[in-house]
Amino acid sequence: MKPPRSRPPRIRSMQARLTLLLGAIALLVSSLAGATLFWALKREVERQEITEVSGKLELIDHLIDMQNSASGLHDLAATFDEMRAGQGQLGIWIVDAQGHAVYGGPPPDTLETVDGRQVVLQSADGGRMRGLRVAMNDRILPGAHLTVAVSTRTSGQFLYAYGTALVLICALWVGATVVLAAWAVRRSMAPTRRLSEQAARIQPDNLAHRLPLADTDRELHELVISFNRTLERLQAAYQQMEGFNADVAHELRTPLATLINGTQVMLSSPRDAAELRDALASNLEELEDLKTLVNDMLFLARADRGELAADLAPVSLAAEARRVADYYEAMLEEQGVHLRCEGDAKVVANAGLVRRALANLIANAIKATPAGRDIVVLCSAVPGGARVEVCNAGTPIPAADLPRIFDRFFRSGQSRAPRSEGHGLGLAIVRAIARMHGGDVDATSDASGTVVGITLRGPGAFRSDFPHDVA
């Protein structure tokens, strides 16, 4: 049985959403406007009906008041009949105190009474009538009521036709609004489609291309600026990756070539055990060098992924500097260089990584410092962390090279240094260690010497000033 195919995710459309939103707004506004107009017209129709009934009621009441007795009402019956005949929707009822019809036949049922005078009636044929009911003059017919009403059938038909027309007009209005909104939204979204097409044309071979800010709507300015900044970072990363690949290939080519050539020479003719042992020892040295290079590259890769330092504990920078100096004691004596540590600061950090960073900085300083000169390691506290500066009096680094000394495989002053001088990853590792502790690195160089600093951030740093000399 084949597994059911998963449906592709639905892609949301900003254009459709804006069009539907504008259509919903048009529907809401037109509905409110139509309901308001219909309500106002209905109130006006009801007012006119009451006004018409009020005039008839006043006339009828006046005619009744002119009579001297109840018998005179029979003389008015013909007049009332003529009034009803002249206006077929008019109804007149006179009911005595006992509820008996004096004129007009059985009175219709009362459905609603408003303000004690206005009434809504239901006639025998089921139609509705609106009118007024008042008490008659007790002199003529005590306790009797006069009711005058008109049928609402005509007004109801008018209101129904008017309401139907309003609904059709609102529907047409909403439909036209949706069509025009779709056109307007599509036209307004044209700049985004143009930017999307321009962005799609950017390929790895033309990363220098940028989206134009000219003639771009204000709402898209921030998006274009952010996209261009992303392209700048991507271009820099791509160029760095290309350079990194070339540097790695170069660094691996020499030891691999040495291994291959040495092995081929050994295999070209019979060799005794001593020669084979020397060849294996040489190969092992090259392999150890390759192992160190690969481990350094893996460490930098983890740092690039945002890995933070683990196993944090309070670390004395001066104590770690002395341990590193003890390790390089023989090298210091050979170079005729004296190392002096000044100050101290404690920071919560990974002691092993701190030692590794200090070892790289001190090793570089030893190589750069002339015989008889001093290397100064200055430890100090900074807000939220601690700082180490390694100062040497060697040849100044060219100003053009100074911003790049922390790049991988970069060596100042020459394209390639001898392999005995290292792979060119030392300062890159120092920067990675600083960033794994939330800090950074910096360097300055002038005629007086070079100062390379590393700042480590931690929960707290504490400083106590005292000098330490390490020979």
Side-chain angles (χ1 to χ4, degrees), residues 124-372:
D125 59 358
R128 292 195 174 191
M129 305 185 74
R130 189 182 310 277
L132 296 172
R133 177 178 293 161
V134 296
M136 293 181 59
N137 193 331
D138 290 341
R139 178 177 58 83
I140 300 174
L141 196 61
H145 288 84
L146 170 63
T147 302
V148 180
V150 294
S151 174
T152 60
R153 180 177 290 110
T154 302
S155 61
Q157 293 174 348
F158 169 73
L159 290 175
Y160 177 80
Y162 182 78
T164 303
L166 275 180
V167 171
L168 292 176
I169 292 173
C170 289
L172 291 174
W173 166 255
V174 172
T177 301
V178 170
V179 172
L180 293 175
W183 173 81
V185 171
R186 180 174 178 80
R187 184 177 180 84
S188 299
M189 296 292 289
T192 61
R193 290 192 296 273
R194 184 175 63 252
L195 291 176
S196 178
E197 293 171 357
Q198 293 172 345
R201 289 195 292 268
I202 299 176
Q203 301 296 329
D205 57 349
N206 63 342
L207 286 177
H209 182 71
R210 297 291 182 267
L211 296 183
L213 273 175
D215 299 329
T216 302
D217 295 334
R218 181 176 56 187
E219 293 78 7
L220 297 176
H221 261 229
E222 289 297 328
L223 175 63
V224 172
I225 292 174
S226 299
F227 186 83
N228 286 339
R229 288 175 179 171
T230 302
L231 282 179
E232 291 174 0
R233 293 192 294 270
L234 181 62
Q235 182 183 12
Y238 193 79
Q239 292 173 347
Q240 183 180 8
M241 182 182 67
E242 289 182 335
F244 177 76
N245 291 338
D247 290 332
V248 169
H250 179 88
E251 294 294 334
L252 293 177
R253 181 178 60 184
T254 301
L256 288 176
T258 301
L259 288 171
I260 293 172
N261 293 334
T263 304
Q264 289 175 342
V265 170
M266 288 294 103
L267 294 175
S268 63
S269 61
R271 304 290 178 179
D272 57 24
E275 290 178 323
L276 292 175
R277 188 179 296 107
D278 292 340
L280 289 176
S282 176
N283 289 350
L284 179 61
E285 182 180 354
E286 294 292 341
L287 291 173
E288 290 290 347
D289 194 57
L290 284 176
K291 177 184 175 182
T292 301
L293 174 62
V294 171
N295 287 337
D296 289 345
M297 291 167 56
L298 290 176
F299 176 80
L300 292 174
R302 292 199 306 271
D304 288 343
R305 289 198 302 267
E307 181 176 317
L308 299 179
D311 301 327
L312 303 181
V315 176
S316 170
L317 297 182
E320 296 301 331
R322 290 197 299 272
R323 291 184 61 178
V324 173
D326 291 340
Y327 177 79
Y328 284 110
E329 183 176 3
M331 187 175 179
L332 287 168
E333 292 180 356
E334 181 182 352
Q335 294 290 113
V337 176
H338 182 264
L339 188 147
R340 185 175 72 255
C341 180
E342 298 180 355
D344 189 16
K346 293 183 179 180
V347 65
V348 176
N350 183 296
L353 293 179
V354 171
R355 260 192 314 274
R356 186 174 184 181
L358 290 173
N360 288 343
L361 292 176
I362 291 175
N364 285 348
I366 292 174
K367 297 172 186 176
T369 303

